[in-house]
Amino acid sequence: MAAKDKKVLYISQEIYPYLPESDLAHVARYLPEHIQNAGHDVRIFMPRYGLVNERRNQLHEVIRLSGINVIVDDYDHPLVIKVASIPSTRIQVYFIDNSDLFGRKSLFGPASEGAPSDNADRSIFFIRGVFEAIKNLRWIPDLIHCLGWFSALAPVYLKTAYKDDPYFERAKVIFSVDGNEEEGVIGDDLIKKLEFDKITGDMLAPLQGEVTPDALRRMAIHYSDGVILGQEKVSPELIEYLRSEPDHKVLEYPGPAAEHPEAYVDFYRSFTE
């Protein structure tokens, strides 16, 4: 990006070293560091899954950002924000936490054996929690990069429920289509919960009546300004859907972020200049 001090928000379902290294966690770890070192202002958010060791990773609560409730389908869920610094870097990661939704020792498994999936509630809470935290930070992003199917509702909410919010109305949103990350079952009540937030009718068309990770990826593609292919091989069905929406800017798989950050930077620049 040519101009300095652009504000870039990362919303990722996983980040190394807080979870085991994967292609997605690798991008979410190293790309923000490169962007920050280039002189831009970066904020990174991920869920505080029960698998994240708070003591070892030195997480601590950010009191001034916590204490509000996030409404999901007419239910209030207390929002707790925690933060940690990636070792040997100037990068801080903010964690969206709620003991009922994220306390379990899994990424996307049910709360107990045989229990129905609550991943719809968890994903909506995560996304809305990020946006409410950003507003409490009084920080207006220029670009929002979403990584992983669990972040896929962010572009949807940005272009619907938050479209007139002064904190987000000018932001461009990019979604990375990976498909190689851990997935989970989404509750059949997802559509009902989206409709509670007035995301209804034709706005739900990209789901094609499904509630699967790929259905959420289609939603993210539809509502994003740009799409990055995060793997050499992405689902042919998703590629076909992406090609059916020719207005999107697309970055073909550029290779690992730590080795080819300039490709991501050039793509960012196309939205911020």
Side-chain angles (χ1 to χ4, degrees):
M1 289 176 284
K4 300 296 183 183
D5 70 17
K6 293 295 183 182
K7 295 180 172 64
V8 184
L9 169 62
Y10 291 91
I11 305 175
S12 183
Q13 73 182 46
E14 53 192 85
I15 299 171
Y16 178 79
Y18 304 107
L19 292 173
E21 189 162 16
S22 65
D23 291 339
L24 187 82
H26 185 275
V27 172
R29 158 64 181 84
Y30 291 102
L31 182 57
E33 182 178 15
H34 180 87
I35 296 300
Q36 180 168 284
N37 289 342
H40 305 286
D41 193 4
V42 167
R43 298 289 185 275
I44 313 171
F45 283 82
M46 69 169 280
R48 204 290 300 170
Y49 309 103
L51 293 173
V52 176
N53 188 306
E54 293 197 36
R55 178 172 295 181
R56 183 172 65 240
N57 292 297
Q58 299 182 10
L59 273 66
H60 62 272
E61 184 175 351
V62 185
I63 301 298
R64 68 187 179 91
L65 299 180
S66 301
I68 67 171
N69 285 345
V70 173
I71 299 175
V72 179
D73 194 24
D74 207 25
Y75 288 90
D76 285 2
H77 298 276
L79 172 64
V80 176
I81 308 290
K82 296 175 181 176
V83 70
S85 296
I86 296 177
S88 303
T89 75
R90 297 183 295 112
I91 295 287
Q92 285 190 320
V93 177
Y94 291 89
F95 295 83
I96 298 295
D97 197 8
N98 173 280
S99 58
D100 292 333
L101 295 174
F102 289 103
R104 73 196 66 163
K105 299 293 184 181
S106 70
L107 295 187
F108 309 119
S112 59
E113 186 175 354
S117 171
D118 61 352
N119 282 322
D121 298 77
R122 298 169 82 229
S123 181
I124 293 171
F125 177 85
F126 171 48
I127 297 308
R128 299 203 70 152
V130 170
F131 294 156
E132 294 307 316
I134 288 297
K135 291 166 70 172
N136 282 344
L137 283 168
R138 302 185 184 277
W139 187 82
I140 300 176
D142 298 294
L143 188 72
I144 300 173
H145 188 169
C146 307
L147 300 106
W149 72 271
F150 201 65
S151 74
L153 289 177
V156 181
Y157 273 83
L158 283 166
K159 297 301 177 69
T160 57
Y162 287 84
K163 67 177 181 178
D164 296 321
D165 191 303
Y167 279 88
F168 304 106
E169 61 185 0
R170 79 181 191 194
K172 299 298 184 181
V173 59
I174 294 170
F175 179 68
S176 283
V177 179
D178 195 301
N180 196 34
E181 69 266 22
E182 182 171 336
E183 297 182 347
V185 174
I186 307 165
D188 292 335
D189 55 355
L190 171 66
I191 292 176
K192 172 178 173 288
K193 295 177 188 301
L194 293 175
E195 289 176 339
F196 177 82
D197 288 326
K198 298 182 172 54
I199 303 171
T200 62
D202 290 343
M203 300 163 75
L204 296 168
L207 288 176
Q208 300 176 4
E210 301 175 350
V211 285
T212 64
D214 268 359
L216 289 188
R217 293 184 182 107
R218 288 195 299 270
M219 285 281 277
I221 290 170
H222 178 77
Y223 284 98
S224 292
D225 298 295
V227 174
I228 296 174
L229 301 184
Q231 295 284 327
E232 288 187 88
K233 294 182 179 180
V234 174
S235 159
E237 291 78 15
L238 286 177
I239 294 295
E240 182 180 358
Y241 181 81
L242 175 59
R243 303 309 181 200
S244 74
E245 300 209 340
D247 291 339
H248 292 86
K249 293 181 180 180
V250 178
L251 175 64
E252 304 290 340
Y253 177 60
E259 299 173 19
H260 304 282
E262 67 283 349
Y264 294 87
V265 171
D266 289 343
F267 193 60
Y268 285 4
R269 186 183 294 121
S270 69
F271 295 97
T272 58
E273 288 187 336

